[in-house]
Amino acid sequence: MPEHDTRQGAEVAPMRQPLRWLWLAVAIVVVDLGTKALASSLLEYARPLEVLPFFNLTLLHNTGAAFSFLADHPGWQRWFFAAIAVAATVGLTIWMRRLRADEKMLGASLALVIGGALGNLYDRLVHGYVVDFLSFHLAGWYYPAFNVADIGITLGAVGLIVESLFGERRRARRRR
């Protein structure tokens, strides 16, 4: 049964097969794990391979979270971040199941975050650390190394922010 949007006075149907967005999450996981396997087999640990003057491939192992947050702790953080990834994946999948037909960007954004979370979760559970290998730098300043899963999480988060700021307004214009 369609939900009624009282602000616009229009019926908004639930999305048909909202979990179809999970194909995007699977694609992120496959590309992420594939590139990590390549990096792990072709690169020497912590030895940069210059690709461009501002970009290196540098194999690193991160036992912490973003920007190596909590990486210097004795190991409990592995399970803490794994639990967060599982909880986030479950919560975002439940949210995805409730999408309305006009929330396509939201579906894609949720899938990107889910895929990134699962890619890094695999690393934490199997290796005890996350494999990072993309390293950007400029004039002696280095951005922390990252991976394809991190790209998925970041793009998904940006999509969620954009959706929260402009999505309802955009959908309301389309319904008029």
Side-chain angles (χ1 to χ4, degrees), residues 51-63:
V51 177
L52 296 169
F54 57 87
F55 173 64
N56 297 337
L57 294 175
T58 308
L59 180 63
L60 298 171
H61 299 158
N62 183 359
T63 58

Side-chain angles (χ1 to χ4, degrees), residues 6 23 29 41-42 50 74 82 90 96 123 127-128 158 163 165 170 174:
T6 56
W23 70 264
V29 171
S41 66
L42 298 175
E50 184 175 320
V90 169
M96 185 182 285
D123 278 3
H127 305 299
V158 168
E163 183 66 19
L165 294 174
R170 183 178 57 249
R174 272 192 259 140

Side-chain angles (χ1 to χ4, degrees), residues 152-174:
I153 292 168
T154 301
L155 291 176
V158 168
L160 290 172
I161 292 168
V162 169
E163 183 66 19
S164 72
L165 294 174
F166 306 110
E168 190 57 41
R169 201 174 325 155
R170 183 178 57 249
R171 286 188 298 276
R173 280 195 305 268
R174 272 192 259 140

Side-chain angles (χ1 to χ4, degrees), residues 25-119:
V26 170
I28 291 293
V29 171
V30 168
V31 173
D32 178 61
L33 295 181
T35 56
K36 287 173 179 174
L38 275 172
S40 294
S41 66
L42 298 175
L43 298 172
E44 286 184 52
Y45 186 79
R47 186 169 195 170
L49 173 64
E50 184 175 320
V51 177
L52 296 169
F54 57 87
F55 173 64
N56 297 337
L57 294 175
T58 308
L59 180 63
L60 298 171
H61 299 158
N62 183 359
T63 58
F67 307 105
S68 295
F69 177 65
L70 297 179
D72 55 348
H73 287 260
W76 61 267
Q77 72 277 19
R78 171 186 185 184
W79 305 108
F80 175 70
F81 292 129
I84 289 173
V86 170
T89 298
V90 169
L92 295 176
T93 303
I94 290 169
W95 185 2
M96 185 182 285
R97 289 195 69 216
R98 297 176 179 168
L99 294 177
R100 299 183 318 228
D102 56 358
E103 295 179 313
K104 292 174 180 65
M105 182 175 177
L106 183 54
S109 299
L110 293 171
L112 287 166
V113 174
I114 290 168
L118 291 175

